[in-house]
Each structure stands twice: as C-alpha cells, then as structure tokens.
C-alpha cells in the first residue's frame, strides 16, 4: 500500500515512463491512470529527481522535562488519580460518577475509576497511568484491593520523591523499599490465618462489597453448594431480584448430533438415567465400529451416550434407526473443544465417569471396546446445544486426584487464557458452577452492583487461597511495627530511608478510611499502633474492637498483592529523571477571529 502511494506521487509529479522504473514497480504502475505515464521517457537530472521523489517522514515534536520539574508533573498526576480513587475507600467511602457513552456509571470500584481517568496534561497523565497500572495489576492478581494499592503507591512515591529532592540516592531507596516489602510479605504470611467456615466467607464478601450483608450471604450460600473448587459466574438479570442458581454436574457445550435421539418430545431433551458412556477421540463412520458396543449395551438394557470426534454416514444412520425402533436407547454428541484441549476435556470426562479413554493414536479401536471400558453416569441431560453429565459417586477419588493435578498446572501457567480454561475444567470436575443473576431498578445501579459482587467473589477466593488478616487497614498499621526489625538487617543508611518510607506509607490506608468516615485519621492510627494484632478501628460502628471477631477482615492475598504492586511501581517512579511526551498541539478555531466579536 505504501509503495503504491509513493509510486503514484512520484509518477504524477515527475512524469515517469515505464522504462524508467523497476520490474516490480511496473506491475503497480500499470494500475495507475494513463495520464500518470508519459508516451516517451523524459530526461531528468539527479537534482530534479531527488527533489521530486524524496519522501520525508517526520516524528511528532516532543516535550522533555528533567529533574525536579519532571517529578512534580508526575506527582501532580498521581495525586489527581489517587484522590479520585481514594474517596471510595472504607465502609463510609463515597461513589464516583463516570460520564461514559450512554448512561453515566455510578461506581465504587477503584480499578474502574482509575481506567476511566485521562488527564489533559501529557506529563501529569504519565503519572496517572502509573497508578492505573498498579490498580490493574492488583485487580488481575487478586481481584480486589485496587483502591488500597493506589493509595499505598501514591504515599510511597510522595515520600520517596521528597527524599530524592533532598539528595537521597533513588537507586538505594528502591533497594531499601524492595527489601522491606519482601520482609513484610513473609511476616504477613506468618500472621494470616486460614478461613474457618461459612461465617468467615460471609464476612470477607460483605466487606469487599461495601458492607453489604446480602451479597455476603449470597456468596456464602453459593460456595456452600459448589465448594471451594467451584466457579461463580455473574450475569445480568432481567428482573429486579438478585438470585443464585447452581448448575449440578459437568456441562459440555455440545448438543445431540441428530434430533431423532430426543426422548422428551415436549422439552426436546435427551434424558438418561444410569447410562453408559463411550469416550473416544476417533471419527465413527462405519457400522462395524459401533455394532459390538450396541449389542453389549442392549444385553445390559441400559442407555448409551457416545462422545466422539464425529459420527456420520452409516454409523449415524444405524444409531438413529435402532433408536426409532426402540431396540436401544442411544444418543451421540461431538467431542467438546479443539486440538490438545479436546483430548484433555475427553480425559476429564473419562475420569469423572470411570470410562477408558479410547485414543486413536494408541491404536485402540472403538469396535474392540468392552463393557468394562464404558463409563457410568447417574443422570445425563442433552439439549440441542449442551450436555450435562452427573457422575456416579464411585469415581470420587479419581476425580479428586485429577483436580489436584490441574491445580498444579494452574499454579505453573502464566497465560491468562490457560488459567481461565484450567479453572473452568476444575469447576466442571468438582461439579459446581453457581450463576449469580444480578438485578436492579436502573442500569446505573445494576452496573455498580455487578462490580461490587465481582469484587466480593474475587476477595472470597483470595481468602480461601491464602487466609485472612484484620481489615480496615489495621493489618498494614500493625505490620509497620515490624519494619524496625527489618531495618536492623539493612546496613546501607540510604536503604534504611527506603524502609522508613514504607513504614510511613503503611499507615495511609487506615488513615484514609478514618478520614472518609469523618474521624481524625492520625488519632485512629496512633490508637491502632498501641493495640494487639487483631484490634483495629471499625469505621462502620465507630469502635475499636477485635476486627476478626467483628467480621471486618481482608484476604491476605489482597493485602500482599496491593503492597507488592504499589512498591514495584513506586520504585520505578523514584528512579525517573526525565519525561518525554508528545507536544500538545493547540487546536485552531473553526472560524477566524473577527475584531470586536467575542466567541
């Protein structure tokens, strides 16, 4: 395309004959209008050719800022974004209105607010973008705690830049911050305690949803039904009510190959009980492949479900005819997934039902399958687009072993796509998918409620994974007391300044929660510092109490990720000495100014 544009320009401006251009360019030139080409060559000297054919590429002009000016611009942008996000922190935090296309959103979710903010000044926007990165990274890794991470990052950067302006070495500061955070993460792991039962889950979900007990109860009920390995799916409801429905068994996104297999004509479903299942990754096309299996299941007088890569031709015709004549109860579906993932899903189905996976690559033929190689399912329901298999309890140990294997793969993978698919497979094997259908009176309320429930769901799974700590910012305040011990192990005096920065920054979330509740934050922090690990300030009741007993708790994973991500970005900002941004262009007025007329 670029070649075509350049050639067109060159031939039109200079009048080039076909004999003067290369063979590859001739093919392009033939597509140009005739007036672009001359009947005979025109002699052009080198100077004329160079002047007429030169292509000049210019980069946009840049603004460059150094030293203190660059740091001030970054800090201003960081403060603006952190102030907007910070108003939502705590049980008495407020909402933020986002003016987006259509209905404006009224939200309480830190990462959603951070992503919506774009500042007009390019240098300030660079600072805001760094805090956006903190919020997004925390949301990806923990699913909650985005506001806390933004507040921590702002405080570490603010205190760090003060030290840098006073002459401290930013590289040493960064090292000190990293060492301190590493030590605090280890301390946090020691002090966190595992989730104990339904009440802890309800408390974590309620706090994360903005002290909404209804959401906490709903998440606790859903997890009771699907278990810790289950999946919670959040959807919009067409009604005002918010409800939870649990889909039992393993669901496959493949329906029956032929509607002739239907057993329930009213609902157009295939329904089998105590059925046998044949699982293979091969194509079944001939009668001889399936006749032996059909004869064996007919003798047992049990229904048969065939899961294969494809069933077609005379094999499908045989199944349909025998079904319609009432000789055998049978249905067939195509294998779910594609490529390697298809084999993995078929293996999961085989393990869950106790079947042997008949793999074509190993030379195992479908026609040689015995009754012992068929799986067993308590109930099977097949629609035109999905299949649900409820397995027999006898295969429970094998299923648990498979789930443990998939969890190891989940820990090892870095891909977001693979993580989602592995989590989905774990949920299907554990037989638990709960769908929360969120309802509200208006679109704005629905959007806010969905975000709160999403945060509550993520916080709950984070708590199950790594345990819980006191909420309300109290865990960070108590951790600040442990910085002194870490500081003693650091020899470099400038690295110790980094430890001091983290120590002071850890107090900021609790202070902001108190400020948002209309209480003096500095007084609250002092009282928490003089208390034991479990005790903190409950902003909802305006009391100092045992937060673990009161149900004001945070997932340890959320607290850890927020601290680590805040320190990571802060370290990058502190070692910044210059900013390069595109120079903003002044917009020209649509109408030229006329003297004596104001616009």
């Amino acid at each position: 395309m670029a070649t075509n544009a350049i050639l067109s320009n060159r031939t039109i401006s200079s009048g080039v004959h076909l004999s003067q251009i290369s063979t590859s360019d001739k093919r392009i030139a033939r597509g140009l209008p005739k007036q672009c080409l001359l009947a005979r060559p025109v002699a052009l000297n080198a100077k004329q050719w160079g002047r007429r054919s030169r292509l000049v590429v210019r980069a946009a002009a840049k603004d460059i800022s150094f030293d203190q000016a660059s740091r001030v611009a970054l800090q201003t942008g960081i403060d603006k974004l952190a102030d907007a996000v910070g108003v939502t922190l705590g049980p008495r935090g407020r909402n933020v209105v986002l003016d987006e296309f259509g209905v404006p959103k009224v939200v309480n979710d830190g990462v959603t607010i951070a992503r919506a903010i774009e500042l007009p000044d390019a240098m300030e926007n660079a600072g805001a973008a760094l805090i956006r990165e903190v919020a997004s990274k925390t949301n990806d890794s923990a699913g909650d705690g985005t506001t806390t991470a933004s507040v921590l990052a702002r405080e570490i950067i603010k205190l760090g830049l003060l030290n840098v302006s006073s002459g401290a070495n930013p590289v040493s500061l960064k090292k000190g911050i990293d060492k301190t955070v590493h030590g605090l993460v280890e301390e946090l792991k020691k002090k966190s305690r595992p989730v104990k039962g339904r009440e802890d889950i309800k408390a974590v979900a309620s706090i994360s949803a903005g002290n909404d007990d209804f959401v906490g109860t709903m998440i606790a009920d859903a997890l009771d039904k699907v278990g810790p390995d289950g999946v919670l799916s959040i959807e919009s409801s067409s009604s005002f009510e918010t409800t939870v429905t649990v889909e039992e068994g393993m669901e496959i996104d493949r329906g029956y190959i032929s509607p002739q297999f239907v057993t329930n004509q009213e609902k157009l479903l295939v329904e089998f009980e105590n059925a046998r299942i044949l699982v293979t990754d091969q194509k079944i096309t001939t009668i001889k492949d399936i006749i032996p299996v059909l004869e064996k299941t007919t003798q047992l007088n049990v229904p048969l479900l065939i899961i294969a890569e494809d069933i077609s031709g005379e094999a499908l015709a045989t199944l349909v005819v025998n079904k319609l004549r009432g000789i055998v109860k049978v249905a067939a579906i195509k294998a779910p997934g594609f490529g390697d993932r298809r084999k993995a899903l078929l293996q999961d189905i085989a393990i869950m039902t106790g079947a042997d996976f008949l793999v074509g690559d190993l030379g195992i033929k479908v026609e040689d399958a015995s009754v012992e190689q068929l799986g067993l399912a308590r109930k099977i329901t097949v629609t035109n687009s999905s299949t649900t298999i409820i397995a027999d309890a006898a295969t429970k140990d094998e299923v648990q072993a498979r789930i443990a294997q998939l969890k190891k793969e989940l820990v090892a993978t870095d891909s977001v796509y693979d993580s989602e698919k592995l989590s989905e497979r774990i949920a299907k094997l554990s037989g638990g998918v709960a769908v929360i259908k969120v309802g509200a009176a208006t679109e704005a309320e629905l959007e806010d409620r969905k975000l709160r429930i999403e945060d509550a769901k993520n916080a709950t799974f984070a708590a199950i994974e790594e345990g819980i700590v006191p909420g309300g910012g109290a865990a960070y305040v108590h951790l600040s007391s442990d910085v002194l011990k870490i500081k003693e192990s650091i020899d470099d005096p400038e690295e110790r300044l980094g430890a001091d920065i983290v120590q002071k920054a850890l107090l900021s979330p609790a202070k902001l929660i108190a400020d948002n509740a209309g209480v003096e934050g500095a007084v609250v922090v002092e009282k928490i510092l003089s208390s034991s690990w479990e005790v903190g300030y409950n902003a909802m009741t305006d009391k100092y109490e045992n937060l673990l007993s009161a149900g004001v708790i945070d997932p340890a994973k959320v607290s850890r990720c927020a601290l680590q991500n805040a320190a990571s970005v802060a370290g990058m900002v502190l070692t910044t000495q210059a900013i390069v941004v595109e120079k903003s262009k002044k917009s020209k007025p649509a109408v030229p100014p006329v003297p004596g007329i104001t616009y």
Side-chain angles (χ1 to χ4, degrees):
M1 202 71 183
T3 310
N4 193 15
I6 294 164
L7 182 63
S8 301
N9 187 33
R10 190 168 71 192
T11 51
I12 290 166
S13 63
S14 57
V16 182
H17 191 265
L18 278 174
S19 62
Q20 288 180 291
I21 57 178
S22 66
T23 307
S24 60
D25 282 352
K26 280 178 185 176
R27 287 193 292 271
I28 301 168
R30 287 192 181 102
L32 296 174
K34 287 182 180 178
Q35 58 267 32
C36 295
L37 301 171
L38 298 180
R40 66 181 191 280
V42 175
L44 293 175
N45 61 41
K47 191 174 180 181
Q48 286 174 316
W49 178 261
R51 187 173 64 250
R52 295 189 182 191
S53 65
R54 187 181 298 121
L55 178 68
V56 180
V57 179
R58 288 193 181 93
K62 305 289 182 186
D63 267 337
I64 307 175
S65 181
F66 295 94
D67 304 330
Q68 185 63 17
S70 68
R71 291 192 282 269
V72 168
L74 279 177
Q75 184 68 59
T76 306
I78 288 165
D79 284 342
K80 284 180 181 177
L81 189 140
D83 286 340
V85 170
V87 299
T88 67
L89 190 62
R92 294 184 182 272
R94 309 299 197 271
N95 292 335
V96 174
V97 178
L98 304 180
D99 183 19
E100 295 192 352
F101 180 76
V103 181
K105 286 183 182 177
V106 183
V107 296
N108 189 267
D109 183 48
V111 70
T112 307
I113 297 163
R115 285 172 179 165
I117 292 174
E118 200 78 31
L119 301 177
D121 185 283
M123 291 196 183
E124 289 180 8
N125 195 51
L130 292 165
I131 300 296
R132 271 202 299 273
E133 175 67 17
V134 174
S136 296
K137 191 70 180 171
T138 306
N139 187 60
D140 292 343
S141 52
D144 195 19
T146 53
T147 305
T148 303
S150 303
V151 170
L152 278 171
R154 187 258 291 272
E155 203 64 23
I156 295 173
I157 291 166
K158 184 179 174 183
L159 295 168
L161 290 179
L162 278 173
N163 281 275
V164 171
S165 300
S166 303
N169 182 346
V171 176
S172 298
L173 284 181
K174 185 183 183 305
K175 283 183 181 177
I177 289 169
D178 290 344
K179 286 178 183 178
T180 308
V181 168
H182 179 74
L184 290 173
V185 166
E186 294 302 315
E187 201 64 35
L188 190 69
K189 287 177 181 176
K190 289 177 192 172
K191 291 186 174 181
S192 64
R193 73 165 176 83
V195 170
K196 294 176 183 174
R198 176 190 165 83
E199 286 306 310
D200 281 353
I201 288 172
K202 181 184 170 185
V204 169
S206 299
I207 293 294
S208 185
N211 278 72
D212 191 331
D213 286 337
F214 172 72
V215 172
T217 305
M218 191 170 55
I219 297 278
D221 288 343
L223 277 179
D224 276 349
K225 292 171 184 172
V226 302
D229 294 323
V231 163
L232 299 184
S233 175
I234 298 167
E235 297 175 3
S236 298
S237 172
S238 54
S239 68
F240 291 168
E241 298 293 318
T242 299
T243 57
V244 181
T245 55
V246 177
E247 297 169 359
E248 192 182 5
M250 176 186 272
E251 188 171 321
I252 305 164
D253 58 351
R254 292 287 187 273
Y256 43 70
I257 291 175
S258 168
Q260 304 298 335
F261 293 132
V262 167
T263 59
N264 185 333
Q265 295 294 341
E266 187 181 336
K267 295 181 179 177
L268 294 177
L269 300 176
V270 177
E271 294 177 322
F272 290 156
E273 289 189 5
N274 298 318
R276 296 284 178 167
I277 299 180
L278 173 70
V279 184
T280 180
D281 64 347
Q282 302 169 50
K283 289 183 180 180
I284 301 174
T285 54
T286 60
I287 297 174
K288 68 181 180 66
D289 289 339
I290 54 166
I291 286 294
V293 177
L294 288 177
E295 287 176 347
K296 288 165 187 171
T297 51
T298 306
Q299 290 167 8
L300 292 171
N301 194 26
V302 291
L304 174 67
L305 175 69
I306 300 173
I307 304 174
E309 184 180 332
D310 194 12
I311 301 170
S312 58
E314 59 183 24
L316 180 59
T318 304
L319 291 177
V320 170
V321 168
N322 281 281
K323 157 69 176 61
L324 294 175
R325 288 180 179 174
I327 297 169
V328 63
K329 288 182 181 178
V330 67
I333 66 169
K334 289 185 180 182
F338 302 95
D340 291 339
R341 187 167 166 264
R342 170 177 284 173
K343 290 191 176 181
L345 287 168
L346 288 173
Q347 185 72 43
D348 290 346
I349 295 167
I351 288 170
M352 193 183 80
T353 58
D356 282 2
F357 180 25
L358 308 179
V359 187
D361 294 345
L362 300 178
I364 304 170
K365 294 182 180 178
V366 175
E367 61 192 80
D368 298 331
S370 62
V371 175
E372 290 74 24
Q373 289 178 303
L374 301 179
L376 183 64
R378 187 157 48 88
K379 188 178 179 183
I380 296 172
T381 306
V382 188
T383 69
N384 65 339
S385 59
S386 66
T387 302
T388 304
I389 302 170
I390 299 173
D392 191 66
T395 58
K396 193 173 181 181
D397 292 340
E398 289 87 345
V399 170
Q400 290 302 320
R402 180 69 165 178
I403 289 172
Q405 179 193 338
L406 291 177
K407 281 183 177 177
K408 286 179 183 174
E409 289 180 28
L410 186 61
V411 171
T413 186
D414 293 328
S415 165
V416 175
Y417 177 79
D418 288 345
S419 296
E420 284 178 6
K421 294 303 175 187
L422 285 168
S423 298
E424 194 179 292
R425 285 173 59 196
I426 290 168
K428 285 181 176 180
L429 280 170
S430 61
V433 177
V435 180
I436 300 172
K437 296 201 172 180
V438 185
T442 62
E443 190 71 30
E445 186 188 355
L446 176 67
E447 200 65 39
D448 179 50
R449 187 170 285 185
K450 276 178 77 175
L451 287 170
R452 286 175 186 266
I453 292 173
E454 186 73 39
D455 279 351
K457 179 195 87 169
N458 292 331
T460 303
F461 282 113
I464 291 168
E465 196 175 332
E466 291 188 20
I468 53 175
V469 293
Y476 288 133
V477 175
H478 291 306
L479 279 176
S480 69
S481 304
D482 296 316
V483 173
L484 294 172
K485 189 167 57 178
I486 297 166
K487 200 172 161 185
E488 288 171 5
S489 63
I490 300 173
D491 298 326
D492 190 319
E494 290 200 325
E495 287 183 16
R496 287 187 171 194
L497 283 175
D500 290 335
I501 288 166
V502 175
Q503 185 177 19
K504 289 173 185 173
L506 287 170
L507 310 177
S508 57
K511 184 177 181 296
L512 186 55
I513 287 170
D515 288 340
N516 286 344
V519 184
E520 185 56 51
V523 175
V524 169
V525 166
E526 284 303 318
K527 285 193 178 181
I528 297 173
L529 278 170
S530 59
S531 308
S532 60
W533 169 254
E534 297 88 359
V535 176
Y537 175 66
N538 186 343
M540 199 66 189
T541 60
D542 194 24
K543 290 179 182 175
Y544 296 90
E545 56 187 333
N546 186 319
L547 297 179
L548 294 176
S549 303
V552 182
I553 48 184
D554 284 340
K557 183 179 181 180
V558 170
S559 299
R560 172 181 66 78
C561 290
L563 180 58
Q564 286 177 325
N565 293 329
S568 173
V569 167
M572 292 294 100
V573 175
L574 294 184
T575 51
T576 299
Q577 192 69 5
I579 309 175
V580 181
V581 295
E582 279 199 22
K583 198 168 188 175
S584 57
K585 294 179 181 177
K586 290 182 180 178
S587 56
K588 294 179 181 178
V591 181
V594 179
I597 297 176
T598 56
Y599 292 90

